[in-house]
Amino acid sequence: MSRPAPTASPPPSATYTDIQAGEDFARLRHAHRSFAFPMTLGFCAWYLLYVLLSNYAGDFMSTQVVGHINMAFVLGVLQFATTFAIAWWYARHAGAKLDPQAERIRAEAERRLAAALADEHTGEAR
């Protein structure tokens, strides 16, 4: 069996490399990392604190807060609340800061790829 000839060549990797090396992409990467890394470190520290308190501060964690609800339960529920709060905050951050930059980069990539394919096509026609 023979394979059918491809209808179009793959996009030039130089386009992607140029975009990745560009200032817009660097700003996008910085905007993402400046949010994601501190949030990840903060949440991991908060989770580790919960685990350490659960293991080594049994008296504190068994402190009754209201009725039969103790500190361990309250902090456990706060773990879930923190998770959802960070996800909501990230969605807002992405919508305000990351998505507009990514859209500009995507549009530029599509423009460059279309130009490269057009150049390739006109070169074949000659």
Side-chain angles (χ1 to χ4, degrees), residues 99-111:
D99 292 348
Q101 290 180 43
E103 180 59 30
R104 282 192 301 274
I105 292 168
R106 185 189 62 77
E108 176 64 17
E110 287 177 350
R111 186 193 65 73

Side-chain angles (χ1 to χ4, degrees), residues 19-96:
I19 289 170
Q20 184 181 10
E23 192 174 312
D24 287 341
F25 194 81
R27 277 195 300 270
L28 175 63
R29 193 171 42 238
H30 175 72
H32 171 70
R33 289 178 178 173
S34 66
F35 182 90
F37 289 165
M39 279 296 129
T40 300
L41 289 174
F43 184 78
C44 287
W46 162 228
Y47 179 73
L48 182 62
L49 174 67
Y50 177 73
V51 170
L52 291 172
L53 288 173
S54 296
N55 284 320
Y56 300 110
D59 291 339
F60 171 71
M61 295 298 269
S62 63
T63 302
Q64 299 295 318
V65 178
V66 176
H68 293 291
I69 296 175
N70 62 14
M71 189 57 73
F73 183 78
V74 170
L75 293 178
V77 169
L78 285 174
Q79 289 286 316
F80 285 101
T82 304
T83 300
F84 289 113
I86 290 172
W88 171 77
W89 194 6
Y90 180 77
R92 286 187 48 149
H93 171 73

